[in-house]
Amino acid sequence: MPAAWDTTLLSRVQPAGDAVEYVLGRAAAGEPVRVAAPAVLEVTYGYELRAGRDPRFRSLLDWFTHLMASGTFRVVPLDGRAAVVAGRVRAAMPHPPGGRKRDPRSKTMRQAAWLLDIQIAASAFAAGLDVATANRADFDEIAAVLATLFPAAPRLEVTDEPEGSA
């Protein structure tokens, strides 16, 4: 089944590199890579946050904005159905899984990232897609919660990055 990319994969798409070549090749073949809207938010936020301190990130943000507007990707929305799914998952699992002792982010930032991961998974699930990620552990936990909440629905599969995209 097709998969929606999460932030870990989308953030690897840089002006030069294998990931952008993979994405552009898929778009040229008429099969654009799907990305979850919350992943676009996270990547944009990261570039904007750093752009004030480093002009290279301003250029990267401009490039990324143009790439998103060009139709290179198919953005999977966080629509009403996905929002209901995300709300149910968040109620079932309001905090990120433990074991983040080496995570340098603040508790608030970890919580925000967790909520965005829930939204990414819910967007994919509601659209009938899998999730492609380099962060399997968190998404596997979300998939397990989804299977409990929606036992009759197809299971959300969590996959690694596609071959040739790294």
Side-chain angles (χ1 to χ4, degrees):
M1 180 182 313
W5 282 17
D6 82 329
T7 309
T8 63
L9 300 184
L10 182 59
S11 65
R12 295 178 182 178
V13 178
Q14 303 287 324
D18 292 339
V20 75
E21 292 304 319
Y22 176 85
V23 166
L24 293 173
R26 290 276 308 266
E31 298 178 9
V33 168
R34 292 169 175 87
V35 295
V40 176
L41 179 158
E42 278 191 285
V43 170
T44 303
Y45 167 75
Y47 291 158
E48 183 65 41
L49 195 64
R50 291 168 183 85
R53 297 185 301 253
D54 187 337
R56 293 176 295 179
F57 284 97
R58 174 60 57 202
S59 296
L60 193 52
L61 176 59
D62 292 344
W63 175 83
F64 183 75
T65 301
H66 175 73
L67 189 65
M68 292 307 302
S70 72
T72 300
F73 294 98
R74 183 174 301 150
V75 178
V76 179
L78 178 68
D79 60 12
R81 187 168 162 222
V84 168
V85 170
R88 292 190 65 193
V89 171
R90 185 173 183 212
M93 202 172 181
H95 302 289
R100 301 287 186 258
K101 298 197 184 317
R102 290 181 274 144
D103 192 332
R105 298 175 296 179
S106 69
K107 181 178 178 181
T108 302
M109 291 305 290
R110 284 193 308 274
Q111 187 67 29
W114 176 242
L115 181 55
L116 289 164
D117 283 351
I118 290 171
Q119 292 174 357
I120 290 166
S123 296
F125 182 77
L129 301 169
D130 295 331
V131 172
T133 182
N135 177 18
R136 288 190 65 110
D138 286 354
F139 283 97
D140 283 339
E141 295 215 24
I142 295 169
V145 170
L146 286 167
T148 300
L149 292 172
F150 304 97
R155 183 168 171 83
L156 175 73
E157 297 296 330
V158 181
T159 65
D160 296 316
E161 61 193 78
E163 192 171 316
S165 68

